[in-house]
Amino acid sequence: MFTLPFWKATGERSVRTFAQVLVGSLGLDTLGIINANWNEGLALGAGAAVLTVLTAVATSGGPEGPGLTETVSRQ
């Protein structure tokens, strides 16, 4: 967990999750399923990104990777 590859993988994962939640919330707003403006979409994305980082830390399999079953190559 205290390696640069771990944090690179975790950062990539959190940015990806942020983007997915943002696009999803704005898309659902467009369809009329939920009512979320840009500020709410950004807040939802930020919350999901924070939860992604916390999950990666909580489930880290030691120094290997951000998940229980994955590894990160050392560079």
Side-chain angles (χ1 to χ4, degrees):
M1 179 171 83
F2 299 108
T3 63
L4 183 59
F6 173 86
W7 289 107
K8 280 185 177 180
T10 300
E12 178 184 336
R13 181 182 289 178
S14 67
V15 169
R16 198 170 45 228
T17 300
F18 173 83
Q20 290 169 343
V21 171
L22 177 62
V23 169
S25 66
L26 295 177
L28 291 174
D29 179 48
T30 303
L31 294 174
I33 297 172
I34 63 170
N35 186 16
N37 59 28
W38 273 94
N39 289 334
E40 293 165 340
L42 291 170
L44 286 170
V50 168
L51 289 174
T52 299
V53 171
L54 293 175
T55 301
V57 169
T59 61
S60 68
E64 297 302 318
L68 292 172
T69 60
E70 63 189 319
T71 60
V72 183
S73 63
R74 296 188 185 272
Q75 296 176 354

